[in-house]
Amino acid sequence: MLLTSLVLSAALMGLAGSPHCLAMCGAASTGVCRGCTPAGQSALPAALAWSLGRVLAYAGLGALLGAGTQWLAWAAQAAPV
């Protein structure tokens, strides 16, 4: 039950943040993807690669920050020692 509620919360937060992402990154992403694509070809592969890179970067940074937070919690408990 707990995992389901966390996944649902994360999905709803992602959905709510989509307009922000579109407004802040949409033009830059479009420019990069169109600039990397030869004339007359679809920009879809470049857009998918760009999006996959961003997802992996955000996931990696999130994991790093989560691990850092866990380490800080451990250090706070060990501080009195």
Side-chain angles (χ1 to χ4, degrees):
M1 177 64 181
L2 179 63
L3 182 61
T4 304
S5 62
L6 287 174
V7 170
L8 183 60
S9 296
L12 289 175
M13 288 173 57
L15 184 63
S18 294
H20 167 78
C21 291
L22 180 64
M24 295 296 292
C25 302
S29 296
T30 301
V32 167
C33 293
R34 293 188 94 194
C36 293
T37 305
Q41 290 186 359
S42 172
L44 184 61
L48 291 175
W50 175 267
S51 296
L52 179 64
R54 290 188 60 207
V55 166
L56 292 175
Y58 281 125
L61 288 173
L64 186 64
L65 289 173
T69 302
Q70 182 67 31
W71 181 83
L72 285 175
W74 174 83
Q77 288 179 347
V81 175

